[in-house]
Amino acid sequence: MIIAANFKMNHTRASTVAYLRELNAFISNENISDEVMIFPPFTALDRFETPANLTVGVQNGYPAQKGSFTGEIGLEQIEEFGIDLILIGHSERRHILGEDQPFIAQKFDFFKEKGFRIVYCIGEPKEVRESGIDAVLAYNFKQLEGIDLSYEKLVVAYEPVWAIGTGLTASAEQIEETLSRLRDRIKAPLLYGGSVKPANTKEILEIENCDGVLVGTASWEVESFEKMLSISKNLKK
Ligand code: PGA
């Protein structure tokens, strides 16, 4: 299983250090063997010492080595911290920051070319979900346009927009059906994201074709994230 924490615009440099110190100890004391990914904000990046199964990644990156892109962070800045894991296509970047599919595909190609592990996010808004599974799949497949699904370092996170940060989780049936249809095209590990929390982690991880979770809100408190790691550890799948 892959258990990933997206801090979004939460945590500072100091609180990220404290979080990772606690999490490192937890992973070794509890013999956690799942793959753990942590995506802190850019300002908190550093060369962290972590157990082999914990990787720190970036929430975004500009598809250039360096250059005149005010406010952006490129490969040169990311590589300074030895980071080779990136989140691309998150719905907040698509819908709030206005990233379109060609730009997202350009980012994907750039970081693929550089050998990054890529967690690539897709997911439909509420009105699409209300139109039924075929509309949901058509929408999600559009978000795969220009993306090399055979890339060996790809992980896909299915995150319905209406379930992100809203407390609404897709039902187990909705997740199962969507993941199984996505599986027809995607051989890479498939994560689910959208209001995942300790109370629903077991049910979600037990779903066929679900290879892990991408957690926002419920990952920001380290104890809550650790609960999810324990749940995954005790799962027989
Ligand atoms: P959430 O966010 O857990 O707060 O719903 C998930 C995500 O956006 O990755």
Coordinates of all heavy atoms in Angstrom, one line a residue, residues 4-8 87 90-92 121 157 159-168 192-197 213-220 228, ligand 1:
A4 N -0.2 8.3 1.5 CA 0.5 9.6 1.1 C -0.2 10.8 1.8 O -1.5 10.8 2.0 CB 0.4 9.9 -0.4
A5 N 0.6 11.7 2.3 CA 0.0 12.9 3.0 C 0.3 14.2 2.2 O 1.5 14.5 1.9 CB 0.7 13.0 4.4
N6 N -0.7 14.9 1.8 CA -0.6 16.1 1.1 C -0.9 17.3 2.1 O -2.0 17.5 2.5 CB -1.6 16.1 -0.1 CG -1.6 17.4 -0.8 OD1 -0.8 18.3 -0.6 ND2 -2.6 17.6 -1.7
F7 N 0.2 18.0 2.5 CA 0.0 19.0 3.5 C -0.7 20.3 2.9 O -1.1 21.1 3.6 CB 1.4 19.5 4.0 CG 2.0 18.6 5.0 CD1 1.5 17.3 5.3 CD2 3.2 18.9 5.7 CE1 2.1 16.5 6.2 CE2 3.8 18.1 6.6 CZ 3.2 16.9 6.9
K8 N -0.7 20.4 1.5 CA -1.3 21.5 0.9 C -0.6 22.8 1.5 O 0.6 22.8 1.7 CB -2.8 21.6 1.0 CG -3.4 20.3 0.5 CD -4.9 20.3 0.4 CE -5.5 19.0 0.0 NZ -6.9 19.0 -0.3
L87 N 3.8 15.6 -7.1 CA 2.4 15.5 -7.3 C 2.0 16.4 -8.5 O 2.4 17.5 -8.6 CB 1.7 16.1 -6.1 CG 0.4 15.7 -5.5 CD1 0.3 14.2 -5.2 CD2 0.1 16.5 -4.2
H90 N -3.2 17.9 -9.4 CA -4.1 18.0 -8.3 C -5.3 18.9 -8.6 O -5.1 19.9 -9.3 CB -3.4 18.5 -7.0 CG -4.3 18.3 -5.8 ND1 -5.3 19.2 -5.4 CD2 -4.4 17.3 -4.9 CE1 -5.9 18.8 -4.4 NE2 -5.4 17.6 -4.0
S91 N -6.5 18.6 -8.2 CA -7.7 19.3 -8.6 C -7.6 20.8 -8.1 O -8.2 21.7 -8.8 CB -8.9 18.7 -8.0 OG -9.0 18.8 -6.7
E92 N -6.9 21.0 -7.0 CA -6.8 22.4 -6.6 C -6.0 23.2 -7.6 O -6.2 24.4 -7.8 CB -6.3 22.5 -5.1 CG -7.4 22.1 -4.2 CD -6.9 21.5 -2.9 OE1 -5.7 21.6 -2.6 OE2 -7.8 20.9 -2.2
C121 N -2.9 13.1 -10.3 CA -4.3 13.2 -9.8 C -5.3 13.4 -10.9 O -5.1 14.3 -11.8 CB -4.4 14.3 -8.8 SG -3.2 14.1 -7.4
A157 N -3.8 8.9 -8.7 CA -4.7 9.1 -7.5 C -6.0 9.6 -8.1 O -6.1 10.6 -8.7 CB -4.1 10.2 -6.6
E159 N -9.3 11.2 -7.3 CA -9.8 12.1 -6.2 C -11.0 12.9 -6.7 O -10.8 13.9 -7.3 CB -8.7 13.1 -5.7 CG -7.4 12.4 -5.2 CD -6.6 13.4 -4.4 OE1 -6.2 14.4 -4.9 OE2 -6.5 13.1 -3.2
P160 N -12.2 12.4 -6.4 CA -13.4 13.1 -6.9 C -13.3 14.5 -6.2 O -13.2 14.6 -5.0 CB -14.5 12.3 -6.4 CG -14.0 11.2 -5.6 CD -12.6 11.1 -5.7
V161 N -13.5 15.5 -7.1 CA -13.4 16.9 -6.6 C -14.4 17.2 -5.5 O -14.1 17.9 -4.5 CB -13.6 17.9 -7.7 CG1 -13.5 19.4 -7.3 CG2 -12.6 17.7 -8.8
W162 N -15.6 16.6 -5.6 CA -16.6 16.9 -4.6 C -16.4 16.2 -3.3 O -17.0 16.5 -2.3 CB -18.0 16.4 -5.2 CG -17.9 15.0 -5.7 CD1 -17.6 14.7 -7.0 CD2 -18.2 13.8 -5.1 NE1 -17.6 13.3 -7.1 CE2 -18.0 12.7 -6.0 CE3 -18.7 13.5 -3.8 CZ2 -18.2 11.4 -5.6 CZ3 -18.9 12.2 -3.4 CH2 -18.7 11.2 -4.3
A163 N -15.3 15.4 -3.2 CA -15.0 14.7 -2.0 C -13.8 15.3 -1.3 O -13.4 14.9 -0.2 CB -14.9 13.2 -2.2
I164 N -13.2 16.3 -2.0 CA -11.9 16.8 -1.4 C -12.2 17.9 -0.4 O -12.8 18.9 -0.8 CB -11.0 17.3 -2.6 CG1 -10.5 16.1 -3.4 CG2 -9.8 18.0 -2.0 CD1 -9.6 16.5 -4.5
G165 N -11.7 17.7 0.8 CA -11.8 18.8 1.8 C -13.3 19.1 2.2 O -13.5 20.1 2.9
T166 N -14.2 18.2 1.8 CA -15.6 18.5 2.1 C -16.2 17.7 3.2 O -17.3 17.9 3.6 CB -16.5 18.3 0.8 OG1 -16.2 16.9 0.4 CG2 -16.1 19.2 -0.3
G167 N -15.5 16.6 3.6 CA -16.0 15.7 4.5 C -16.9 14.6 3.9 O -17.3 13.6 4.4
L168 N -17.2 14.8 2.6 CA -18.0 13.9 1.8 C -17.0 12.8 1.2 O -16.1 13.2 0.5 CB -18.7 14.5 0.7 CG -19.8 15.5 1.0 CD1 -20.2 16.2 -0.3 CD2 -20.9 14.8 1.6
Y192 N -6.9 6.2 -3.8 CA -8.1 7.0 -3.7 C -7.8 8.2 -2.8 O -7.1 8.0 -1.8 CB -9.3 6.2 -3.1 CG -10.4 7.1 -2.8 CD1 -11.3 7.6 -3.8 CD2 -10.6 7.6 -1.5 CE1 -12.3 8.5 -3.5 CE2 -11.6 8.5 -1.2 CZ -12.5 8.9 -2.2 OH -13.4 9.8 -1.9
G193 N -8.4 9.3 -3.1 CA -8.3 10.5 -2.2 C -9.6 11.3 -2.2 O -10.3 11.3 -3.1
G194 N -9.8 11.9 -1.1 CA -11.1 12.7 -0.9 C -11.7 12.4 0.5 O -12.4 11.4 0.6
S195 N -11.3 13.2 1.5 CA -11.9 13.0 2.8 C -11.6 11.7 3.4 O -12.4 11.1 4.1 CB -13.4 13.4 2.9 OG -13.6 14.7 2.5
V196 N -10.4 11.1 3.1 CA -10.0 9.9 3.8 C -9.5 10.3 5.2 O -8.9 11.3 5.4 CB -8.8 9.2 3.0 CG1 -8.3 8.0 3.8 CG2 -9.2 8.9 1.6
K197 N -10.0 9.5 6.2 CA -9.7 9.7 7.6 C -9.6 8.4 8.3 O -10.0 7.4 7.7 CB -10.7 10.7 8.2 CG -12.2 10.3 7.9 CD -13.1 11.3 8.5 CE -14.6 10.9 8.2 NZ -15.0 11.3 6.9
V213 N -3.9 5.4 -0.4 CA -4.7 6.6 -0.2 C -3.8 7.8 -0.3 O -2.7 7.8 0.2 CB -5.6 6.6 1.1 CG1 -6.8 5.7 1.0 CG2 -4.7 6.2 2.3
L214 N -4.4 8.9 -0.8 CA -3.8 10.2 -0.7 C -4.6 11.1 0.2 O -5.8 11.3 0.0 CB -3.7 10.8 -2.1 CG -3.2 12.3 -2.3 CD1 -1.8 12.4 -1.7 CD2 -3.1 12.7 -3.8
V215 N -4.0 11.5 1.3 CA -4.8 12.1 2.4 C -4.4 13.6 2.6 O -3.2 13.9 2.6 CB -4.5 11.4 3.7 CG1 -5.5 11.9 4.8 CG2 -4.6 9.9 3.6
G216 N -5.4 14.5 2.6 CA -5.1 15.9 2.9 C -5.4 16.2 4.4 O -4.6 15.8 5.2
T217 N -6.6 16.7 4.6 CA -6.9 17.2 6.0 C -6.5 16.3 7.1 O -5.9 16.7 8.1 CB -8.5 17.5 6.0 OG1 -8.8 18.2 4.8 CG2 -8.8 18.3 7.2
A218 N -6.9 15.0 7.0 CA -6.6 14.1 8.1 C -5.2 13.7 8.2 O -4.8 12.9 9.1 CB -7.5 12.8 7.9
S219 N -4.3 14.2 7.4 CA -2.9 13.9 7.5 C -2.1 15.0 8.3 O -1.0 14.8 8.6 CB -2.2 13.7 6.1 OG -2.1 14.9 5.5
W220 N -2.8 16.1 8.5 CA -2.1 17.3 9.0 C -1.7 17.1 10.5 O -0.7 17.7 10.9 CB -2.9 18.6 8.7 CG -3.2 18.8 7.3 CD1 -2.5 18.2 6.2 CD2 -4.2 19.5 6.7 NE1 -3.1 18.6 5.0 CE2 -4.1 19.4 5.3 CE3 -5.2 20.3 7.2 CZ2 -5.0 20.0 4.4 CZ3 -6.1 21.0 6.4 CH2 -6.0 20.8 5.0
M228 N -3.8 6.0 10.5 CA -4.1 5.4 9.2 C -3.0 4.4 8.8 O -3.3 3.3 8.2 CB -4.3 6.5 8.2 CG -5.6 7.3 8.4 SD -5.9 8.5 7.2 CE -5.1 9.9 8.0
Ligands
PGA1 P1 -8.8 15.8 1.7 O1 -7.8 16.2 0.5 O2 -8.2 14.6 2.4 O3 -8.7 17.0 2.6 O4 -10.1 15.6 1.2 C1 -7.3 15.1 -0.3 C2 -6.5 15.7 -1.4 O5 -6.8 16.8 -1.9 O6 -5.4 15.1 -1.8

